[in-house]
Amino acid sequence: MASKLLVDIHTHVYLPRYAALLRSRSAVPFIRSSATHDGKLDERLLILDHEPSGGRPVGPQYWDREEKLKFMDKHGIDVSVVSTANPWLDFLPASQAHTLAAELNEDLEEYCSTSPNVQDVPIRRLYGFGLLPLVPEITTASLLDTVKQVSKLPHLRGLIMGTRGVGKGLDDMALDPIWAAIEAAGLVVFIHPHYGVDAKAWGDMDNGHVLPLALGFPFETTIATTRLILSGVLDRFPSLRLLLAHSGGTLPQLSSRLASCIDHDPVVASRLKHDARYYLGKLYVDAVAYGPEELGFVSDVIARSGRYEAGTSDFKAANRSLGSQRMLFGTDHPFFPPLSSTEKWKSVVENSEAIDAVQGWSQADKDGVRGGNAISLFNLAE
Amino acid sequence: MASKLLVDIHTHVYLPRYAALLRSRSAVPFIRSSATHDGKLDERLLILDHEPSGGRPVGPQYWDREEKLKFMDKHGIDVSVVSTANPWLDFLPASQAHTLAAELNEDLEEYCSTSPNVQDVPIRRLYGFGLLPLVPEITTASLLDTVKQVSKLPHLRGLIMGTRGVGKGLDDMALDPIWAAIEAAGLVVFIHPHYGVDAKAWGDMDNGHVLPLALGFPFETTIATTRLILSGVLDRFPSLRLLLAHSGGTLPQLSSRLASCIDHDPVVASRLKHDARYYLGKLYVDAVAYGPEELGFVSDVIARSGRYEAGTSDFKAANRSLGSQRMLFGTDHPFFPPLSSTEKWKSVVENSEAIDAVQGWSQADKDGVRGGNAISLFNLAE
């Protein structure tokens, strides 16, 4: 029964405490309020420098748990593993980040633990990813405290983090004790983008948010994960469970090029234990790629990783079923709302239909991606 | 017979005139000469700001035609369509760029036209991509003159260009007359990266050239092509033949996400004639991706484009054979030389083996990618 559930592992919230913080601010990130011409409250979220618009309209779907449950009901989603949306605590001074992380983790535990059960199954409808106060000048002790806090909150099963670490990225050796603690606690780390790449790359034409979202976000995830691989984190912490947003960004398509560039560069050629492609088989990725060919390809790249464990490369076909076991349905709610009023959200329908249409995935594979894999990864049936 | 030839369409040269220019300079891009401790000439190429090394060793393989032919012989390459390596003329003032483009185009014509014939086939061993003086403050008339020059040089069958256009990128409306002239002349445009993305993204760890080459280069190509699509260039010039370096960078993996982001953004949702995925079927890409799963996926993404022409989306399996017809073997020579002495270059062997190992490509498809498609695209059998 539990193996047929639909589980959304990429779904965000600004908890009321966090939304209040955003409303109190006047620099990015913040929520700006005004009145519409007919006197209604108009709230806009600005989260990026040089936001290429007047901000996104925000409302209760960003903070109200009932709205999350309504969205889930509308789309047949049984369980959501909810995470704070970017930019998390990145913009706060260390002391405030530490306190707020602890408070938001408690808030999210409450949000989940008081949620209803899935009908006929001893699983709640909401679980969560906690937050760490990953900001410059935070102490290792503070980060380790928060890992410990999250590991003791029964409905939090992982941590979401951006790509900046404590200011120098995720390949910063100073994070080694944190990776060790996360690995030991068995928490899943959801790596999620926020900053993209330098906006000068987008040029002068007004393309709305398309370039930073469609390209910048996956580039950022790709860079962060590649830097993690190159720093040896996955060699030193082989049981660390990393979940990459947006199907791993572009790392799957660049992984053979990456392996070749490493092989041809005297600085790094001898550094890692394995061919770069091996590490993709150690990762988990969401299935938020909007197309069946993309999902099938990503599962091939995960599946072929074993080929590179020993450094051999026989090219028998990658086993897509095997790769599917590390892929998990997600929606990115409440982002990407439909432009016009529709029964279901197009962004959700696209991701759902893409899973159904992957060539070479059995029904069991698809059920796994839709929910079974998440139930295992997050131990939801415990 | 010609359909069995191996044709390398991604292979670079610094013609002697260009190498002399690089030697005369002391700022990037330049060639720095010194003597080794045993008195030999040591020449190093520096082409990027903040080059993460003392420069790459360069030698005759960069400029000497005999070395190109020896490399081709060693790897069984019958024909090469040679292009000037980055950064082309990007760094020159307009008047010098105009003159040098004309001279280098004549030089390359000579380099090709005096090359031997392929045995038993009326095809030369060398053809070329010409250069345009794409720099700020160049006149449209100068660019159009150069398009005309190249179109009249019988062994030049296309143009290589970077992503900066005349300073504002390839989505600059000022380039419309140039696209029109290139389309009318039937020249193939090889879009090639040089700048990557802002180097701050690579962090503090010394990873050699890996991050800018493995990630930055394909990101740049992806950004440039996406901006071209969003600017409507492919709607306005539907017969323009664009060939993307490195198998299209990461555009294939991001194309469904791109389509979804466009659909959800009020600024661009109604701008283009087709779903973004349609345009990938209008492109040509090299097969320089180093892995069979990557090549198979790229051919799927090209093949599925027809699904999006009418805006419908039935998800029957993409026809990989169809997609293979727009993919072309390349080596990236003389870049990525082996670190140790080997009979054949590993980078070439990897790309060659990857083609052989693609699931779902027939022998005819593989022959097409190895050379047949290039013979058609560049009209080499004429």
mmCIF file of all heavy atoms in Angstrom, chain A residues 18-53:
data_model
loop_
_atom_site.group_PDB
_atom_site.id
_atom_site.type_symbol
_atom_site.label_atom_id
_atom_site.label_comp_id
_atom_site.label_asym_id
_atom_site.label_seq_id
_atom_site.Cartn_x
_atom_site.Cartn_y
_atom_site.Cartn_z
ATOM 1 N N TYR A 18 9.136 32.947 9.347
ATOM 2 C CA TYR A 18 10.065 33.382 8.308
ATOM 3 C C TYR A 18 9.419 34.473 7.440
ATOM 4 O O TYR A 18 10.053 35.471 7.090
ATOM 5 C CB TYR A 18 10.463 32.168 7.460
ATOM 6 C CG TYR A 18 11.581 32.400 6.478
ATOM 7 C CD1 TYR A 18 12.911 32.193 6.834
ATOM 8 C CD2 TYR A 18 11.321 32.820 5.165
ATOM 9 C CE1 TYR A 18 13.947 32.389 5.924
ATOM 10 C CE2 TYR A 18 12.340 33.015 4.255
ATOM 11 C CZ TYR A 18 13.658 32.797 4.639
ATOM 12 O OH TYR A 18 14.671 32.995 3.741
ATOM 13 N N ALA A 19 8.137 34.278 7.116
ATOM 14 C CA ALA A 19 7.430 35.287 6.315
ATOM 15 C C ALA A 19 7.399 36.622 7.063
ATOM 16 O O ALA A 19 7.554 37.694 6.456
ATOM 17 C CB ALA A 19 6.014 34.807 5.991
ATOM 18 N N ALA A 20 7.227 36.550 8.391
ATOM 19 C CA ALA A 20 7.216 37.790 9.189
ATOM 20 C C ALA A 20 8.575 38.487 9.095
ATOM 21 O O ALA A 20 8.650 39.720 8.972
ATOM 22 C CB ALA A 20 6.882 37.460 10.646
ATOM 23 N N LEU A 21 9.637 37.702 9.119
ATOM 24 C CA LEU A 21 10.976 38.281 8.957
ATOM 25 C C LEU A 21 11.095 38.979 7.606
ATOM 26 O O LEU A 21 11.591 40.112 7.504
ATOM 27 C CB LEU A 21 12.028 37.180 9.101
ATOM 28 C CG LEU A 21 13.463 37.576 8.748
ATOM 29 C CD1 LEU A 21 14.028 38.545 9.780
ATOM 30 C CD2 LEU A 21 14.370 36.349 8.639
ATOM 31 N N LEU A 22 10.626 38.301 6.551
ATOM 32 C CA LEU A 22 10.722 38.897 5.207
ATOM 33 C C LEU A 22 9.905 40.188 5.123
ATOM 34 O O LEU A 22 10.322 41.156 4.483
ATOM 35 C CB LEU A 22 10.252 37.906 4.143
ATOM 36 C CG LEU A 22 11.101 36.644 3.944
ATOM 37 C CD1 LEU A 22 10.493 35.773 2.834
ATOM 38 C CD2 LEU A 22 12.559 36.981 3.606
ATOM 39 N N ARG A 23 8.757 40.225 5.800
ATOM 40 C CA ARG A 23 7.932 41.445 5.781
ATOM 41 C C ARG A 23 8.598 42.594 6.535
ATOM 42 O O ARG A 23 8.348 43.757 6.256
ATOM 43 C CB ARG A 23 6.570 41.173 6.414
ATOM 44 C CG ARG A 23 5.637 40.379 5.540
ATOM 45 C CD ARG A 23 4.195 40.437 6.055
ATOM 46 N NE ARG A 23 3.401 39.417 5.362
ATOM 47 C CZ ARG A 23 3.230 38.182 5.825
ATOM 48 N NH1 ARG A 23 3.736 37.810 6.982
ATOM 49 N NH2 ARG A 23 2.515 37.320 5.119
ATOM 50 N N SER A 24 9.461 42.257 7.487
ATOM 51 C CA SER A 24 10.104 43.294 8.306
ATOM 52 C C SER A 24 11.302 43.920 7.608
ATOM 53 O O SER A 24 11.890 44.872 8.109
ATOM 54 C CB SER A 24 10.562 42.692 9.640
ATOM 55 O OG SER A 24 11.739 41.888 9.445
ATOM 56 N N ARG A 25 11.679 43.358 6.468
ATOM 57 C CA ARG A 25 12.896 43.812 5.805
ATOM 58 C C ARG A 25 12.577 44.724 4.610
ATOM 59 O O ARG A 25 11.485 44.664 4.055
ATOM 60 C CB ARG A 25 13.705 42.602 5.299
ATOM 61 C CG ARG A 25 14.288 41.758 6.422
ATOM 62 C CD ARG A 25 14.873 40.458 5.898
ATOM 63 N NE ARG A 25 15.783 40.660 4.788
ATOM 64 C CZ ARG A 25 17.080 40.910 4.909
ATOM 65 N NH1 ARG A 25 17.636 40.966 6.113
ATOM 66 N NH2 ARG A 25 17.833 41.106 3.845
ATOM 67 N N SER A 26 13.587 45.498 4.202
ATOM 68 C CA SER A 26 13.373 46.350 3.028
ATOM 69 C C SER A 26 14.467 46.147 1.987
ATOM 70 O O SER A 26 14.579 46.886 1.031
ATOM 71 C CB SER A 26 13.299 47.816 3.453
ATOM 72 O OG SER A 26 14.460 48.144 4.176
ATOM 73 N N ALA A 27 15.322 45.160 2.218
ATOM 74 C CA ALA A 27 16.327 44.797 1.206
ATOM 75 C C ALA A 27 16.147 43.310 0.909
ATOM 76 O O ALA A 27 15.598 42.563 1.727
ATOM 77 C CB ALA A 27 17.734 45.068 1.722
ATOM 78 N N VAL A 28 16.603 42.898 -0.242
ATOM 79 C CA VAL A 28 16.478 41.498 -0.668
ATOM 80 C C VAL A 28 17.115 40.570 0.349
ATOM 81 O O VAL A 28 18.228 40.845 0.799
ATOM 82 C CB VAL A 28 17.162 41.335 -2.050
ATOM 83 C CG1 VAL A 28 17.396 39.877 -2.385
ATOM 84 C CG2 VAL A 28 16.320 42.013 -3.143
ATOM 85 N N PRO A 29 16.474 39.493 0.780
ATOM 86 C CA PRO A 29 15.121 39.089 0.409
ATOM 87 C C PRO A 29 14.076 39.754 1.300
ATOM 88 O O PRO A 29 14.259 39.874 2.495
ATOM 89 C CB PRO A 29 15.160 37.583 0.694
ATOM 90 C CG PRO A 29 16.091 37.447 1.858
ATOM 91 C CD PRO A 29 17.127 38.526 1.673
ATOM 92 N N PHE A 30 12.980 40.165 0.703
ATOM 93 C CA PHE A 30 11.907 40.758 1.503
ATOM 94 C C PHE A 30 10.570 40.623 0.790
ATOM 95 O O PHE A 30 10.513 40.306 -0.399
ATOM 96 C CB PHE A 30 12.204 42.227 1.824
ATOM 97 C CG PHE A 30 12.144 43.181 0.654
ATOM 98 C CD1 PHE A 30 11.149 44.150 0.571
ATOM 99 C CD2 PHE A 30 13.100 43.114 -0.357
ATOM 100 C CE1 PHE A 30 11.102 45.041 -0.497
ATOM 101 C CE2 PHE A 30 13.062 44.010 -1.432
ATOM 102 C CZ PHE A 30 12.064 44.972 -1.494
ATOM 103 N N ILE A 31 9.501 40.848 1.586
ATOM 104 C CA ILE A 31 8.146 40.900 1.030
ATOM 105 C C ILE A 31 7.686 42.343 1.121
ATOM 106 O O ILE A 31 7.716 42.950 2.197
ATOM 107 C CB ILE A 31 7.190 39.968 1.802
ATOM 108 C CG1 ILE A 31 7.559 38.502 1.547
ATOM 109 C CG2 ILE A 31 5.745 40.239 1.391
ATOM 110 C CD1 ILE A 31 6.786 37.500 2.387
ATOM 111 N N ARG A 32 7.293 42.881 -0.034
ATOM 112 C CA ARG A 32 6.817 44.265 -0.108
ATOM 113 C C ARG A 32 5.294 44.255 -0.195
ATOM 114 O O ARG A 32 4.734 43.536 -1.024
ATOM 115 C CB ARG A 32 7.418 44.932 -1.335
ATOM 116 C CG ARG A 32 6.963 46.367 -1.516
ATOM 117 C CD ARG A 32 7.887 47.154 -2.442
ATOM 118 N NE ARG A 32 8.127 46.439 -3.692
ATOM 119 C CZ ARG A 32 9.137 46.715 -4.525
ATOM 120 N NH1 ARG A 32 10.008 47.661 -4.238
ATOM 121 N NH2 ARG A 32 9.271 46.048 -5.640
ATOM 122 N N SER A 33 4.657 45.030 0.629
ATOM 123 C CA SER A 33 3.187 45.091 0.644
ATOM 124 C C SER A 33 2.707 46.405 0.056
ATOM 125 O O SER A 33 3.312 47.449 0.277
ATOM 126 C CB SER A 33 2.661 45.013 2.083
ATOM 127 O OG SER A 33 3.106 43.840 2.694
ATOM 128 N N SER A 34 1.633 46.319 -0.685
ATOM 129 C CA SER A 34 0.962 47.543 -1.129
ATOM 130 C C SER A 34 -0.519 47.219 -1.266
ATOM 131 O O SER A 34 -0.930 46.078 -1.063
ATOM 132 C CB SER A 34 1.547 48.037 -2.454
ATOM 133 O OG SER A 34 1.379 47.032 -3.437
ATOM 134 N N ALA A 35 -1.293 48.221 -1.588
ATOM 135 C CA ALA A 35 -2.725 47.982 -1.783
ATOM 136 C C ALA A 35 -3.020 48.032 -3.273
ATOM 137 O O ALA A 35 -2.481 48.874 -3.998
ATOM 138 C CB ALA A 35 -3.541 49.038 -1.045
ATOM 139 N N THR A 36 -3.834 47.124 -3.748
ATOM 140 C CA THR A 36 -4.257 47.186 -5.144
ATOM 141 C C THR A 36 -5.270 48.318 -5.302
ATOM 142 O O THR A 36 -5.738 48.868 -4.296
ATOM 143 C CB THR A 36 -4.917 45.861 -5.579
ATOM 144 O OG1 THR A 36 -6.083 45.661 -4.790
ATOM 145 C CG2 THR A 36 -3.969 44.684 -5.388
ATOM 146 N N HIS A 37 -5.620 48.638 -6.535
ATOM 147 C CA HIS A 37 -6.530 49.772 -6.741
ATOM 148 C C HIS A 37 -7.912 49.520 -6.136
ATOM 149 O O HIS A 37 -8.618 50.447 -5.802
ATOM 150 C CB HIS A 37 -6.658 50.101 -8.237
ATOM 151 C CG HIS A 37 -7.258 48.986 -9.045
ATOM 152 N ND1 HIS A 37 -6.519 47.907 -9.487
ATOM 153 C CD2 HIS A 37 -8.536 48.766 -9.446
ATOM 154 C CE1 HIS A 37 -7.304 47.071 -10.149
ATOM 155 N NE2 HIS A 37 -8.525 47.565 -10.136
ATOM 156 N N ASP A 38 -8.256 48.236 -5.954
ATOM 157 C CA ASP A 38 -9.546 47.977 -5.297
ATOM 158 C C ASP A 38 -9.372 47.653 -3.809
ATOM 159 O O ASP A 38 -10.236 47.039 -3.186
ATOM 160 C CB ASP A 38 -10.337 46.879 -6.022
ATOM 161 C CG ASP A 38 -9.525 45.607 -6.201
ATOM 162 O OD1 ASP A 38 -8.307 45.636 -5.887
ATOM 163 O OD2 ASP A 38 -10.087 44.593 -6.638
ATOM 164 N N GLY A 39 -8.213 48.083 -3.265
ATOM 165 C CA GLY A 39 -8.068 48.052 -1.816
ATOM 166 C C GLY A 39 -7.612 46.742 -1.217
ATOM 167 O O GLY A 39 -7.541 46.609 0.005
ATOM 168 N N LYS A 40 -7.284 45.760 -2.045
ATOM 169 C CA LYS A 40 -6.800 44.492 -1.486
ATOM 170 C C LYS A 40 -5.308 44.563 -1.177
ATOM 171 O O LYS A 40 -4.580 45.367 -1.767
ATOM 172 C CB LYS A 40 -7.054 43.361 -2.490
ATOM 173 C CG LYS A 40 -8.526 42.975 -2.599
ATOM 174 C CD LYS A 40 -8.689 41.672 -3.374
ATOM 175 C CE LYS A 40 -10.163 41.415 -3.681
ATOM 176 N NZ LYS A 40 -10.380 40.839 -4.997
ATOM 177 N N LEU A 41 -4.873 43.674 -0.308
ATOM 178 C CA LEU A 41 -3.448 43.602 0.024
ATOM 179 C C LEU A 41 -2.697 42.899 -1.114
ATOM 180 O O LEU A 41 -3.083 41.818 -1.542
ATOM 181 C CB LEU A 41 -3.270 42.814 1.330
ATOM 182 C CG LEU A 41 -1.810 42.580 1.775
ATOM 183 C CD1 LEU A 41 -1.135 43.886 2.166
ATOM 184 C CD2 LEU A 41 -1.770 41.586 2.939
ATOM 185 N N ASP A 42 -1.652 43.544 -1.608
ATOM 186 C CA ASP A 42 -0.827 42.955 -2.669
ATOM 187 C C ASP A 42 0.564 42.737 -2.100
ATOM 188 O O ASP A 42 1.283 43.699 -1.813
ATOM 189 C CB ASP A 42 -0.783 43.913 -3.869
ATOM 190 C CG ASP A 42 0.041 43.358 -5.018
ATOM 191 O OD1 ASP A 42 -0.097 42.163 -5.344
ATOM 192 O OD2 ASP A 42 0.855 44.121 -5.580
ATOM 193 N N GLU A 43 0.958 41.479 -1.912
ATOM 194 C CA GLU A 43 2.289 41.200 -1.379
ATOM 195 C C GLU A 43 3.165 40.613 -2.475
ATOM 196 O O GLU A 43 2.754 39.710 -3.205
ATOM 197 C CB GLU A 43 2.209 40.245 -0.180
ATOM 198 C CG GLU A 43 1.558 40.890 1.036
ATOM 199 C CD GLU A 43 1.825 40.100 2.320
ATOM 200 O OE1 GLU A 43 1.664 38.851 2.307
ATOM 201 O OE2 GLU A 43 2.219 40.725 3.319
ATOM 202 N N ARG A 44 4.377 41.142 -2.576
ATOM 203 C CA ARG A 44 5.330 40.701 -3.603
ATOM 204 C C ARG A 44 6.620 40.245 -2.922
ATOM 205 O O ARG A 44 7.131 40.927 -2.045
ATOM 206 C CB ARG A 44 5.690 41.856 -4.540
ATOM 207 C CG ARG A 44 4.496 42.443 -5.251
ATOM 208 C CD ARG A 44 4.234 41.709 -6.532
ATOM 209 N NE ARG A 44 2.955 42.085 -7.119
ATOM 210 C CZ ARG A 44 2.668 41.894 -8.398
ATOM 211 N NH1 ARG A 44 3.562 41.348 -9.212
ATOM 212 N NH2 ARG A 44 1.487 42.224 -8.870
ATOM 213 N N LEU A 45 7.128 39.145 -3.417
ATOM 214 C CA LEU A 45 8.370 38.585 -2.883
ATOM 215 C C LEU A 45 9.527 38.982 -3.794
ATOM 216 O O LEU A 45 9.485 38.753 -5.007
ATOM 217 C CB LEU A 45 8.244 37.061 -2.823
ATOM 218 C CG LEU A 45 9.499 36.271 -2.471
ATOM 219 C CD1 LEU A 45 9.908 36.532 -1.026
ATOM 220 C CD2 LEU A 45 9.253 34.775 -2.687
ATOM 221 N N LEU A 46 10.568 39.551 -3.200
ATOM 222 C CA LEU A 46 11.796 39.852 -3.950
ATOM 223 C C LEU A 46 12.934 39.090 -3.304
ATOM 224 O O LEU A 46 13.283 39.353 -2.143
ATOM 225 C CB LEU A 46 12.071 41.358 -3.944
ATOM 226 C CG LEU A 46 11.034 42.134 -4.785
ATOM 227 C CD1 LEU A 46 10.003 42.782 -3.885
ATOM 228 C CD2 LEU A 46 11.705 43.140 -5.683
ATOM 229 N N ILE A 47 13.478 38.138 -4.025
ATOM 230 C CA ILE A 47 14.523 37.316 -3.409
ATOM 231 C C ILE A 47 15.878 37.422 -4.098
ATOM 232 O O ILE A 47 16.866 36.945 -3.574
ATOM 233 C CB ILE A 47 14.124 35.820 -3.295
ATOM 234 C CG1 ILE A 47 13.708 35.222 -4.627
ATOM 235 C CG2 ILE A 47 13.050 35.643 -2.239
ATOM 236 C CD1 ILE A 47 13.410 33.727 -4.547
ATOM 237 N N LEU A 48 15.915 38.011 -5.274
ATOM 238 C CA LEU A 48 17.186 38.111 -5.983
ATOM 239 C C LEU A 48 17.585 39.565 -6.153
ATOM 240 O O LEU A 48 16.730 40.437 -6.340
ATOM 241 C CB LEU A 48 17.076 37.480 -7.381
ATOM 242 C CG LEU A 48 16.778 35.985 -7.431
ATOM 243 C CD1 LEU A 48 16.450 35.561 -8.849
ATOM 244 C CD2 LEU A 48 17.973 35.181 -6.914
ATOM 245 N N ASP A 49 18.903 39.828 -6.083
ATOM 246 C CA ASP A 49 19.384 41.137 -6.496
ATOM 247 C C ASP A 49 19.017 41.308 -7.963
ATOM 248 O O ASP A 49 19.020 40.339 -8.722
ATOM 249 C CB ASP A 49 20.917 41.215 -6.356
ATOM 250 C CG ASP A 49 21.333 41.365 -4.903
ATOM 251 O OD1 ASP A 49 20.614 42.038 -4.147
ATOM 252 O OD2 ASP A 49 22.376 40.796 -4.538
ATOM 253 N N HIS A 50 18.718 42.528 -8.360
ATOM 254 C CA HIS A 50 18.351 42.778 -9.763
ATOM 255 C C HIS A 50 17.173 41.908 -10.179
ATOM 256 O O HIS A 50 17.159 41.365 -11.274
ATOM 257 C CB HIS A 50 19.535 42.510 -10.708
ATOM 258 C CG HIS A 50 20.842 43.010 -10.198
ATOM 259 N ND1 HIS A 50 21.115 44.346 -10.056
ATOM 260 C CD2 HIS A 50 21.947 42.348 -9.766
ATOM 261 C CE1 HIS A 50 22.343 44.492 -9.582
ATOM 262 N NE2 HIS A 50 22.862 43.298 -9.395
ATOM 263 N N GLU A 51 16.221 41.718 -9.295
ATOM 264 C CA GLU A 51 15.015 40.938 -9.623
ATOM 265 C C GLU A 51 14.429 41.506 -10.926
ATOM 266 O O GLU A 51 14.131 42.692 -11.012
ATOM 267 C CB GLU A 51 13.993 41.067 -8.491
ATOM 268 C CG GLU A 51 12.759 40.207 -8.630
ATOM 269 C CD GLU A 51 12.910 38.867 -7.903
ATOM 270 O OE1 GLU A 51 13.909 38.689 -7.170
ATOM 271 O OE2 GLU A 51 12.037 38.017 -8.090
ATOM 272 N N PRO A 52 14.298 40.666 -11.949
ATOM 273 C CA PRO A 52 13.892 41.189 -13.253
ATOM 274 C C PRO A 52 12.379 41.403 -13.352
ATOM 275 O O PRO A 52 11.763 41.027 -14.316
ATOM 276 C CB PRO A 52 14.360 40.092 -14.217
ATOM 277 C CG PRO A 52 14.317 38.830 -13.414
ATOM 278 C CD PRO A 52 14.569 39.228 -11.982
ATOM 279 N N SER A 53 11.783 41.973 -12.317
ATOM 280 C CA SER A 53 10.336 42.217 -12.312
ATOM 281 C C SER A 53 10.036 42.938 -11.020
ATOM 282 O O SER A 53 10.916 43.196 -10.206
ATOM 283 C CB SER A 53 9.573 40.893 -12.334
ATOM 284 O OG SER A 53 9.718 40.231 -11.088
#
